[in-house]
Amino acid sequence: MSAQHTTHAHGAHDHGGHDHHGDAEPHSSLRDYTIGFVLSVILTAIPFWLVMAKVIADRNTAVLVLGGFAVIQILVHMVYFLHMNGKVEGGWTMLSTIFTVVFVAIAIAGTLWVMFHMNANMMPEHPTPTPATHEAPAHSTP
């Protein structure tokens, strides 16, 4: 070990073995983890019950409701377990997350748009064959 590293490790910055380099970051408590856990269980149990009890009959409505619960659960995980807010690291963590979400949304929307239009505009029209009808020849009686 160099003399400079030894001085830094045991010199004026000695805090009794505790590392305080992340003081700007929030310190989590058991209360925060408990709140996050309870919310996660609730946000899992409600959609499970909605599907199993067949509460929502319309498929499109069910997809929207379940997707809403999924988005809310993602936010709960980001806040309570990943500790993301506008204060951590000067807001750069939140800014990079917003950028990622916007980028992924644009990529998914663009992919779906291209696939829809490729399907609608590029697929050849196939005429449906009409079934041949077998008519009995007309018998003429003299």
Side-chain angles (χ1 to χ4, degrees):
M1 222 188 308
S2 68
Q4 183 182 18
H5 187 268
T6 305
T7 304
H8 176 71
H10 298 291
H13 296 291
D14 188 17
H15 298 288
H18 298 287
D19 185 13
H20 294 284
H21 288 293
D23 284 344
E25 297 181 20
H27 295 284
S28 300
S29 66
L30 181 62
R31 179 179 175 268
D32 289 338
Y33 285 122
T34 304
I35 290 171
F37 176 73
V38 169
L39 286 173
S40 295
V41 169
I42 290 170
L43 291 170
T44 300
I46 292 173
F48 183 79
W49 172 75
L50 289 172
V51 170
M52 295 307 289
K54 298 180 180 168
V55 174
I56 303 173
D58 182 40
R59 181 180 170 100
N60 292 334
T61 304
V63 167
L64 288 175
V65 169
L66 296 176
F69 275 104
V71 168
I72 293 170
Q73 191 163 104
I74 289 170
L75 294 174
V76 165
H77 283 256
M78 288 173 64
V79 170
Y80 287 100
F81 299 120
L82 298 176
H83 313 293
M84 296 185 73
N85 58 31
K87 300 174 193 165
V88 175
E89 296 180 15
W92 284 108
T93 304
M94 186 62 73
L95 186 63
S96 66
T97 302
I98 291 170
F99 172 76
T100 303
V101 168
V102 169
F103 183 78
V104 168
I106 290 171
I108 290 172
T111 301
L112 292 175
W113 180 74
V114 167
M115 289 183 349
F116 173 77
H117 285 285
M118 290 288 289
N119 185 40
N121 296 326
M122 300 297 288
M123 293 301 293
E125 291 293 325
H126 297 290
T128 49
T130 55
T133 56
H134 298 285
E135 294 182 13
H139 293 278
S140 60
T141 55

